[in-house]
Structures are given as C-alpha cells and as structure tokens.
Amino acid sequence: MLPGSIQISGETLSSAEIRDICESLRENSVRLLSLRGCQLSDRDFGRICRGVAESHSLAQLNLNLGIVSNINRVKQLAEALKTNRSVQSLFLHGSPLTDAGLALLNPALSIHPSLVALDLGDCMLGDEGINLICGLLPPDGAKSGLKELTLSANPGVTAKGWGRLAIAVAHSSQVRVLNLDYNPLGDQVAGMLAVAVASSRTLEVLDLEGTGLTNHSAQTLLDMVENYPTALRTLILAENSISPELQQQISDLLSEGEEEEENEAHEVTAREKNPWICQSNPSSQMVLVTSGLGESLLAETEM
C-alpha cells in the first residue's frame, strides 16, 4: 500500500471505520482514498464527502463500482468537489450516473482547479453527457482541462456524440490519454477519431479495444500514423476484426516515431552538456517533443 493511502475493496464499512477515514482526511494525511465496490450507508457517504471537502492533501479519489449509487450521493459529491481544491484524479467507473447525474456533477468538475484525470467508464452516459464532458476539454489557449479521460463501456452514446468528442479532442491543448474501449464505435467513428488524433498535438494514448473496428478503419489509422506527424505513441486495437499484419504495421510506425524522438532528445542533451557542438545549419531550429506520460495519474489505483 502506498504511503498516505487508504485502499479498501468490496467490504461493508462500519460507522467506526468511516469515522477513522474522515479523521485522516481532516488531518490531511491521505493522498489516495479508494473505496472501490464498498458498501456504506447514505449517512456515512455524506460523512466521507464532508471529509473530502475539508481535505487539502487528497489527490486521488476512487469511488468505482457503484459507490455513487443515487442522485442524492451525486449531489453530496458535487458539493464536496466545489469546496475541495486538491483532488487531481476522480474515478467513478461503474456508477449508475446517467446524463442527469453528470449534469449535477458537471458544475463542480468544470470549476475544479486541480482535476486532470476523470474516469466515467460504464456510467450509463449518452450524448448529453458527452456534450458536458466536451466542456472539460477546452480548446487551445483556453483554461486548463483534463489530461486523462476514460469513457469505456458507455454504449448509449451515438455516433453523433462520439463525433462531438472527436472535435473536442482535436482542439484540446491538454488531453494525453483517451480510453474508449468497449464502446460500439465502428469504422465511422474510428475515422472521426483518426482525424482528431492527426489534429491533436498532445494525445499520446488511445484505447480502442473491443470497439467493433475492421481492417477498413485500421487502414485509415495506418495512413494517419504514416503520413501525419502526431504525438500518438500507444494505440490499443485488441479484440477488433483487424488483421494481425495491420496491427503490427501500426505498432511498428508508432515505435519508429518514438525512437526518432529519443534520438533527438539525446542530441539535445549532448548539446546542453557541450555548448561547443555546432549544428551544420546554425539557422535551423530543433523542436523536441518528448514521448511518454511519465507516471500516469491513473496508475496508482485499480478500477
């Protein structure tokens, strides 16, 4: 277990345990709180939310698998997030949120000063919910927004909703990781996402596992990777009707791009260590684009 973390999974929590958790939150000794799949009363959930509101140390909050189970809990969480200023990652995967619940939560999410990672996978969202999420991906030059977004397994979203998201991703100056796995996207939506990836200067990871893609959309993605400069480094295409050959071609091209950037990084480092190294063309400029996210904000806790 990580220092400064409380991680409990699938247990029924007593009032005494809730009291201890809330005391730790108020003492600012908790960085990660995960109550994944736990059972607790509505009263105790309200106590947890008040503790979250008061905490200045909490960076990751995992309420996956049905913790936020009704509208009243959504309202309590929204109120907590309006006061809290420290939470960077919020996990609500597997909550029956629906578009109506997200509409209640969205004002708090949109004004939160630290939130950069959001998991709304399997939250029964539709097109209205996606429209709200697009507001959390502000365009270039606007306020800061999400860097990591998970929308896995929301089959109620239509092609229109995914198209709106693709436009938001294309113009976002922040988002680096986008997980859309296990949605019935199909080749049409994949084509829209290919355009978004080609336009984005920040998107590094795109998960399209189990999204109903075929060789047709894989060829579009291959053409995009081959012919357009992109920040993309990881494209997950497992459990689709795509030939292993096409998947390997895409993987090889992404790997080549990463190797080229690593070589550029080594050259820049060498110049910094030895300022007497001259370029053959002194007027040329090198643009360095580093690959990888470092330590992912979503890596410290399981779904």
Side-chain angles (χ1 to χ4, degrees):
M1 182 176 292
L2 294 172
S5 69
I6 298 175
Q7 300 185 64
I8 308 171
S9 181
E11 296 186 14
T12 299
L13 300 178
S14 66
S15 293
E17 290 172 316
I18 295 295
R19 183 180 62 248
D20 291 342
I21 292 171
C22 292
E23 183 176 339
S24 296
L25 287 169
R26 287 192 295 270
E27 292 174 350
N28 295 314
S29 60
V30 179
R31 183 178 184 274
L32 186 159
L33 175 61
S34 175
L35 303 179
R36 179 178 180 270
C38 289
Q39 300 293 320
L40 66 162
S41 68
D42 287 342
R43 177 175 177 272
D44 285 340
F45 182 83
R47 293 168 65 191
I48 290 289
C49 287
R50 289 191 291 274
V52 169
E54 296 175 20
S55 176
H56 302 295
S57 63
L58 186 65
Q60 298 193 40
L61 178 60
N62 185 332
L63 300 176
N64 284 349
L65 302 183
I67 302 297
V68 187
S69 55
N70 56 56
I71 289 296
N72 286 334
R73 292 192 178 192
V74 173
K75 292 178 180 178
Q76 290 174 315
L77 178 60
E79 287 301 314
L81 291 174
K82 286 179 182 178
T83 304
N84 176 276
R85 291 292 180 268
S86 63
V87 171
Q88 300 174 24
S89 303
L90 177 63
F91 304 83
L92 300 176
H93 200 110
S95 302
L97 199 59
T98 73
D99 291 350
L102 183 56
L104 293 173
L105 193 60
N106 186 67
L109 299 178
S110 62
I111 65 172
H112 199 285
S114 302
L115 187 68
V116 292
L118 180 64
D119 185 345
L120 295 178
D122 194 17
C123 282
M124 302 173 64
L125 300 180
D127 289 353
E128 292 182 12
I130 294 298
N131 288 342
L132 294 172
I133 291 167
C134 289
L136 305 176
L137 303 174
D140 281 346
K143 63 179 183 179
S144 61
L146 295 177
K147 294 182 179 179
E148 304 187 23
L149 175 61
T150 296
L151 294 170
S152 315
N154 281 295
V157 181
T158 69
K160 181 180 178 180
W162 294 125
R164 179 78 178 270
L165 180 70
I167 293 171
V169 169
H171 290 281
S172 170
S173 59
Q174 303 288 325
V175 65
R176 296 183 178 185
V177 177
L178 180 61
N179 298 312
L180 301 179
D181 48 312
Y182 298 104
N183 284 298
L185 303 181
D187 290 336
Q188 179 186 2
V189 173
M192 292 187 278
L193 290 171
V195 175
V197 172
S199 302
S200 172
R201 294 177 297 186
T202 59
L203 188 65
E204 298 179 1
V205 178
L206 177 60
D207 188 350
L208 299 177
E209 179 175 355
T211 51
L213 308 189
T214 69
N215 284 343
H216 178 76
S217 53
Q219 187 62 56
T220 301
L221 291 165
L222 177 63
D223 292 342
M224 178 271 296
V225 172
E226 189 170 22
N227 297 306
Y228 295 91
T230 172
L232 193 68
R233 293 295 166 259
T234 301
L235 177 59
I236 302 171
L237 296 171
E239 296 192 33
N240 286 296
S241 300
I242 299 173
S243 70
E245 293 78 15
L246 270 176
Q247 292 194 48
Q248 189 61 51
Q249 284 181 274
I250 294 172
S251 178
D252 290 344
L253 285 170
L254 291 175
S255 298
E256 287 175 9
E258 190 166 3
E259 289 173 2
E260 289 175 2
E261 290 183 356
E262 288 177 355
N263 291 336
E264 289 180 356
H266 290 317
E267 290 177 9
V268 170
T269 301
R271 290 192 188 94
E272 290 173 347
K273 290 181 177 179
N274 188 350
W276 300 108
I277 296 177
C278 296
Q279 299 182 42
S280 58
N281 181 1
S283 65
S284 66
Q285 294 181 329
M286 173 176 288
V287 178
L288 173 62
V289 183
T290 58
S291 63
L293 287 174
E295 182 181 354
S296 172
L297 291 166
L298 300 180
E300 293 190 13
T301 182
E302 297 179 353
M303 289 197 308

